[in-house]
Amino acid sequence: MPNVLKSYPLILWNYFKYDGPRTNNHVEGFHTRLMKKAGKSHPNLFEVVQLFIHEEASSNVQVLQLESGQSAPRRRRRYDDIDNRLERLGLEYMLCERSLASYLGAIGHMMDSVYRR
């Protein structure tokens, strides 16, 4: 058994049936937007503080819009399809309709085809 499995309990690194983001793309997107707003790769401390103040104001506006009933931006259908397929595969595995090898193979095949696009 690899040392990683001995060092960290399964609950810390297993994302089976996790409803949150599958990647850190949202973090990368936030960083990219922030750096574009900064206009340079190494802003000074005061510029960073101003960026965060403006970002907080933008976030507050978005929260108010959502609270007032405006719908959230729509995700791409492609990602909804991936989520639905992963959900179905997970359910098949949990109901013992798929073996672990079949479940992992199906996810691998699906992700391989997704990233070839």
Side-chain angles (χ1 to χ4, degrees):
M1 182 181 292
N3 283 339
V4 172
L5 298 179
K6 292 179 184 177
S7 302
Y8 300 98
L10 181 66
I11 194 74
L12 288 179
W13 57 267
N14 184 8
Y15 280 80
F16 183 70
K17 297 302 290 172
Y18 175 69
D19 290 332
R22 289 188 312 271
T23 67
N24 67 345
N25 289 349
H26 61 290
V27 177
E28 297 290 341
F30 172 78
H31 182 257
T32 300
R33 279 191 312 276
L34 206 58
M35 295 316 298
K36 282 183 181 178
K37 287 179 183 178
K40 53 183 156 180
S41 58
H42 298 288
N44 67 40
L45 178 63
F46 299 105
E47 293 168 331
V48 170
V49 169
Q50 285 300 312
L51 285 170
F52 285 147
I53 289 171
H54 291 175
E55 188 62 31
E56 180 187 21
S58 296
S59 295
N60 287 338
V61 168
Q62 289 176 343
V63 167
L64 290 172
Q65 289 172 337
L66 292 172
E67 287 176 346
S68 70
Q70 184 175 343
S71 60
R74 183 83 176 116
R75 287 177 60 191
R76 291 183 183 166
R77 181 176 175 197
R78 173 183 179 190
Y79 299 117
D80 286 337
D81 292 344
I82 292 169
D83 285 346
N84 292 335
R85 177 80 172 132
L86 287 171
E87 180 78 24
R88 192 170 83 242
L89 288 171
L91 184 61
E92 290 172 4
Y93 172 67
M94 286 176 41
L95 295 174
C96 299
E97 295 173 3
R98 281 186 179 271
S99 67
L100 179 59
S102 172
Y103 169 67
L104 295 175
I107 289 176
H109 177 72
M110 184 185 79
M111 288 297 149
D112 186 44
S113 65
V114 164
Y115 291 110
R116 281 190 189 172
R117 289 183 184 180

